[in-house]
């Protein structure tokens, strides 16, 4: 296989490390190249087996897989640039920073996978079973965290802080909306409030709340960058009581009592996702998050549904 990465920031490096480990484990041969806008340090062990490219003219020929892990506002132009030169695309979430026309690239809809790592957690698979086994009347979802604690460097310089680069909690934390739609489908109507409300020194939005209306249920979603106590959970109010799934503690609770814990390391679900994607490229397994699907999610996320 011939593989090309666009962008090797923190998430790109994670995907690269996981990919290399899986290729070795599965005895798959591949050459890996990476296009970056600036040189890397020679001492950086991530890149010893990667051919680095620093000018577009160095991108020559066709590829089996292209990883689009550069800033969100560059995703669309990267896809257009490489559309005819790659068989499969792994696109980091969110797919774009704004709604784009995908008419030029729609023929590769099934070959474009948009990352949705939470769906590869063990506890998410259990959540799916619980939703199918219960009559769910309403749902509350929250993802609250403190942006300055995310970053090892100054959070004010991160892409998350820059609206011009596709930052903002409505895009950064699109995971929640993605899995809500996977669980319940697209809502009949959606309402949103997306704005900056805290004193964080950022130009992007730090708050997003949504109300999603379905025939038989209502879903409330809260996202923020300013919460000092990390929370990432979903509450299902069902005909049998309250079910809560905590994605940080990896616990399932019934009416306030923990009934199951599914321990998992932080990188495990990224490994699961990468194995899934390799199967998609080699065996043609079903693409669970195509360009079209991710674009519908994006429309709701930015309040344009």
């Amino acid at each position: 296989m011939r593989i090309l990465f666009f962008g090797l920031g923190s998430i790109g490096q994670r995907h690269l490390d996981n990919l290399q480990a899986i290729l070795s484990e599965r005895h798959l041969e591949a050459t890996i190249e990476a296009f970056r806008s600036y040189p890397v340090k020679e001492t950086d062990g991530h890149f010893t087996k990667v051919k680095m490219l620093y000018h577009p003219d160095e991108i020559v020929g066709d590829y089996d897989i292209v990883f689009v892990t550069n800033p969100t506002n560059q995703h669309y132009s990267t896809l257009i640039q490489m559309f005819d030169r790659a068989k499969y695309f792994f696109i980091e979430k969110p797919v774009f920073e704004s709604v784009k026309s995908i008419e030029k690239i729609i023929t590769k809809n099934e070959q474009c996978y948009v990352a949705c790592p939470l769906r590869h957690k063990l506890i998410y698979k259990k959540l799916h079973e619980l939703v199918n086994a219960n009559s769910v009347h309403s749902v509350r979802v929250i993802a609250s965290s403190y942006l300055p604690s995310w970053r090892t460097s100054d959070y004010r310089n991160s892409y998350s802080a820059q609206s011009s680069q596709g930052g903002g909690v409505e895009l950064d934390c699109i995971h929640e909306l993605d899995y809500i739609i996977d669980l319940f489908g697209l809502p009949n109507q959606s309402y949103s409030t997306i704005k900056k409300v805290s004193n964080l020194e950022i130009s992007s939005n730090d708050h997003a709340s949504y109300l999603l209306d379905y025939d038989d249920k209502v879903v409330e979603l809260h996202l923020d960058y300013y919460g000092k106590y990390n929370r990432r959970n979903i509450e299902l109010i069902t005909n049998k009581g309250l079910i809560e799934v905590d994605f940080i503690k990896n616990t399932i609770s019934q009416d306030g009592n923990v009934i199951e814990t599914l321990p998992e390391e932080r990188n495990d679900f990224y490994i699961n996702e990468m194995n899934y994607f390799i199967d998609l490229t080699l065996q043609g397994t079903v693409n669970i998050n195509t360009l079209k699907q991710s674009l519908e999610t994006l429309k709701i996320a930015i309040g344009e549904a």
Side-chain angles (χ1 to χ4, degrees), residues 23 34-35 39 42 51 62 82 93 95 99 139 148 166-167 212 215-216 221 226 248 269 298:
L23 291 175
F35 177 76
E42 292 183 6
K51 180 181 179 181
D62 296 335
M82 298 303 298
K93 63 81 193 168
V95 60
V99 176
V139 181
L212 309 179
D215 287 341
D216 59 350
L221 169 60
Y226 49 78
I248 296 175
F269 55 94
L298 177 66

Side-chain angles (χ1 to χ4, degrees), residues 44-110:
D44 197 326
H46 288 283
F47 312 119
T48 54
K49 297 182 180 179
V50 179
K51 180 181 179 181
M52 306 305 298
L53 312 175
Y54 299 108
H55 193 278
D57 291 345
E58 297 179 83
I59 302 172
V60 178
D62 296 335
Y63 294 85
D64 295 291
I65 300 171
V66 166
F67 282 81
V68 183
T69 54
N70 46 7
T72 305
N73 64 339
Q74 297 175 25
H75 287 186
Y76 185 73
S77 59
T78 301
L79 284 172
I80 295 298
Q81 175 188 349
M82 298 303 298
F83 169 69
D84 289 325
R85 298 174 60 185
K87 296 177 183 176
Y88 286 90
F89 292 86
F90 182 110
I91 307 164
E92 186 49 46
K93 63 81 193 168
V95 60
F96 307 128
E97 82 284 5
S98 60
V99 176
K100 310 285 189 185
S101 170
I102 58 173
E103 184 177 347
K104 294 180 180 178
I105 51 179
I106 193 60
T107 55
K108 283 202 171 144
N109 180 56
E110 295 295 331

Side-chain angles (χ1 to χ4, degrees), residues 5 7-22 46-47 67 69 90 92 117 265-271 273-274:
F5 276 77
L8 281 176
S10 59
I11 191 62
Q13 290 178 24
R14 181 187 291 275
H15 290 320
L16 173 62
D17 288 346
N18 290 341
L19 174 66
Q20 289 178 316
I22 288 168
H46 288 283
F47 312 119
F67 282 81
T69 54
F90 182 110
E92 186 49 46
E265 296 297 324
R266 175 169 171 74
N267 196 47
D268 288 351
F269 55 94
Y270 287 105
I271 287 283
E273 181 176 46
M274 189 59 67

Side-chain angles (χ1 to χ4, degrees), residues 116 118-134 136 138-141 174-187 212 214 216-217 219-221 233-237 243-245 247 288-289 293 297:
C116 50
L118 286 188
R119 290 205 240 165
H120 297 274
K121 283 180 69 71
L122 294 177
I123 205 153
Y124 181 74
K125 299 181 188 304
K126 187 67 176 181
L127 170 60
H128 221 294
E129 294 173 8
L130 290 168
V131 167
N132 291 335
N134 290 272
V136 179
S138 66
V139 181
R140 288 192 295 262
V141 177
I174 203 170
H175 300 285
E176 271 64 29
L177 199 52
D178 168 79
Y179 82 66
I180 288 170
I181 292 171
D182 181 55
L183 289 173
F184 305 113
L186 290 168
L212 309 179
Y214 293 83
D216 59 350
K217 67 180 65 68
V219 178
E220 303 167 69
L221 169 60
N233 55 20
I234 178 172
E235 295 178 350
L236 308 173
I237 301 174
I243 298 171
E244 180 181 0
V245 173
F247 283 91
I288 62 172
N289 200 27
Q293 290 170 307
T297 302

Side-chain angles (χ1 to χ4, degrees), residues 2 22 42 184 189 239 261 281:
R2 191 171 182 223
I22 288 168
E42 292 183 6
F184 305 113
Q189 287 185 294
N239 60 324
T261 301
T281 65

Side-chain angles (χ1 to χ4, degrees), residues 246-305:
D246 189 316
F247 283 91
I248 296 175
K249 297 177 181 177
N250 292 313
T251 57
I252 301 169
S253 300
Q254 176 78 49
D255 297 329
N257 300 307
V258 175
I259 59 173
E260 190 169 1
T261 301
L262 296 172
E264 193 170 29
E265 296 297 324
R266 175 169 171 74
N267 196 47
D268 288 351
F269 55 94
Y270 287 105
I271 287 283
N272 295 341
E273 181 176 46
M274 189 59 67
N275 267 310
Y276 157 80
F277 178 69
I278 295 302
D279 287 343
L280 173 66
T281 65
L282 295 179
Q283 302 169 18
T285 51
V286 174
N287 186 341
I288 62 172
N289 200 27
T290 65
L291 266 180
K292 288 178 67 175
Q293 290 170 307
S294 61
L295 197 59
E296 291 302 315
T297 302
L298 177 66
K299 289 176 183 177
I300 296 175
I302 61 178
E304 294 187 12

